[in-house]
Amino acid sequence: MTISHNHTNTSLESEANGHNGNLDHIPPEAIKGLSEESISCLRNLATYNAPPLADFGIVKQAAVLVALFQKDGDDQLHVLLTTRAKTMRRHPSQTALPGGKVDPEDPDVIFTARREAFEEVGLPLNHPSIYHLTVLEPVMTILPLNSHMKNHIIVTPVVCFISSPSIISTLIPNPDEVDAIFTHPLKGVLTGSLDLKDTESLVDIGGEWWPHEEEFHSTNDRIGSIGVYRMHRFRTTRSPIKGLTSDVLIQTSMIAYNSPTTYPRFASDQSPFSNLISGVVKDLPFHIDKSNNSGPVEWGGTEGERYRSSETWANA
């Protein structure tokens, strides 16, 4: 697939740099009909200034696109999600935001996120109804015990607003990467609950996609390769939002609604992502050429239990 880097980058840079911390880059007709809540969320995101991206050294890097829109007849923002193809080597059949690896020729993470969204679901690279909002602070994959440090990935979220929700209905999953396209209310990630109108078509409790007792939001604390971590899971109309995708959307929702989560976000003694990232960036050069044969790849429990991971990170 050939993409004109120069033309696309110019468009994205103008979006990224032209909003001056407010919604002036979005014409009035594009936000006409939005609820006051949605407009407030967009303004909070557009005025958010994350610290400049640091030098992540040799750690793998990726970018994901948090594409927000308000459905016709609705009054809150929803986010575009995918279920990864069953044939994917990593995280098959799991919920993801469009995104992927930062290629050396990518001019910035905004381009990476938009390119990947185009490749995965056909979201147009240049469209008058898609507006850049902000770039958020990076998060990082949390790996099981005995995983090789080289398999950590630092992921930078890029947030955009789609003013024409009809675009969503035109998206087509790339069968090599995506099994399904669906959406979820952003506020539901902040509150761990859903309005009655958003509970229609949710997957069954106790079924394949939601084998949990909780109605909308489930957590468990686990111990991975770099310490304790709280795994959040949110029930959807498809595969659950969990892991890194939940971490990104929790961060996005807190900024959008200018509010903390209504549930405890972190496990006791869980380190901030900024500290975890700094540690991996610093230590990876000393581990990159070392093998990792210290035992099975597994998660630790807070009560001392162990359970095998379905991923094979140590051998990647």
Side-chain angles (χ1 to χ4, degrees):
M1 181 178 295
T2 301
I3 300 174
S4 173
H5 285 238
N6 291 334
H7 173 71
T8 305
N9 189 38
T10 299
S11 172
L12 297 180
E13 282 184 346
S14 64
E15 291 179 6
N17 298 326
H19 57 70
N20 297 319
N22 52 45
L23 299 182
D24 287 349
H25 67 305
I26 303 179
E29 59 269 21
I31 58 176
K32 183 179 180 181
L34 293 184
S35 67
E36 288 298 321
E37 177 180 285
S38 292
I39 293 174
S40 176
C41 286
L42 297 180
R43 183 171 288 112
N44 287 337
L45 287 163
T47 56
Y48 179 76
N49 291 312
L53 290 180
D55 181 357
F56 299 132
I58 61 174
V59 183
K60 297 175 184 177
Q61 296 180 51
V64 294
L65 186 68
V66 183
L68 302 173
F69 67 99
Q70 182 176 293
K71 292 182 177 181
D72 290 332
D74 205 337
D75 61 357
Q76 62 178 305
L77 295 176
H78 289 244
V79 60
L80 174 67
L81 296 166
T82 69
T83 299
R84 289 166 61 85
K86 299 179 182 67
T87 54
M88 294 294 286
R89 184 165 174 258
R90 292 293 175 214
H91 308 299
S93 298
Q94 292 190 13
T95 298
L97 293 155
K101 178 184 176 184
V102 175
D103 290 338
E105 62 270 23
D106 288 351
D108 53 36
V109 291
I110 301 173
F111 181 89
T112 301
R114 292 289 297 273
R115 171 180 58 76
E116 287 286 341
F118 174 65
E119 294 174 359
E120 291 180 9
V121 299
L123 186 71
L125 281 167
N126 293 286
H127 195 285
S129 296
I130 302 177
Y131 302 92
H132 175 82
L133 291 177
T134 192
V135 175
L136 302 183
E137 294 179 65
V139 297
M140 188 173 66
T141 51
I142 304 298
L143 305 181
L145 297 166
N146 300 324
S147 300
H148 197 296
M149 188 177 290
K150 68 181 180 181
N151 291 307
H152 284 292
I153 303 173
I154 296 172
V155 180
T156 303
V158 174
V159 187
C160 73
F161 167 59
I162 301 175
S163 64
S164 177
S166 60
I167 292 176
I168 304 300
S169 64
T170 69
L171 302 181
I172 300 175
N174 177 344
D176 292 333
E177 300 185 61
V178 175
D179 273 349
I181 298 170
F182 66 106
T183 67
H184 193 76
L186 181 65
K187 194 173 185 178
V189 179
L190 182 75
T191 64
S193 62
L194 293 173
D195 294 339
L196 181 62
K197 62 182 173 55
D198 295 315
T199 61
E200 297 179 6
S201 303
L202 289 178
V203 296
D204 293 336
I205 294 177
E208 175 187 3
W209 291 119
W210 191 252
H212 310 291
E213 297 178 355
E214 297 87 350
E215 188 171 10
F216 300 119
H217 175 224
S218 172
T219 67
N220 80 290
D221 294 347
R222 53 179 62 185
I223 299 172
S225 60
I226 50 179
V228 66
Y229 169 70
R230 174 158 293 166
M231 169 69 77
H232 292 273
R233 304 179 187 86
F234 299 90
R235 182 179 167 214
T236 74
T237 60
R238 181 74 187 187
S239 46
I241 298 169
K242 66 178 184 177
L244 184 136
T245 301
S246 69
D247 293 328
V248 170
L249 293 183
I250 289 171
Q251 179 187 16
T252 305
S253 67
M254 290 176 62
I255 294 168
Y257 288 93
N258 191 29
S259 172
T261 57
T262 59
Y263 49 83
R265 181 183 178 190
F266 296 114
S268 177
D269 299 325
Q270 181 173 337
S271 297
F273 277 108
S274 57
N275 292 355
L276 298 176
I277 289 172
S278 296
V280 171
V281 170
K282 177 182 177 181
D283 294 341
L284 180 57
F286 303 101
H287 294 267
I288 191 68
D289 296 324
K290 297 179 181 178
S291 62
N292 193 56
N293 298 310
S294 55
V297 179
E298 57 187 10
W299 291 101
T302 56
E303 302 298 325
E305 68 273 25
R306 294 286 187 270
Y307 48 100
R308 295 295 294 266
S309 170
S310 59
E311 301 284 351
T312 54
W313 291 106
N315 301 320

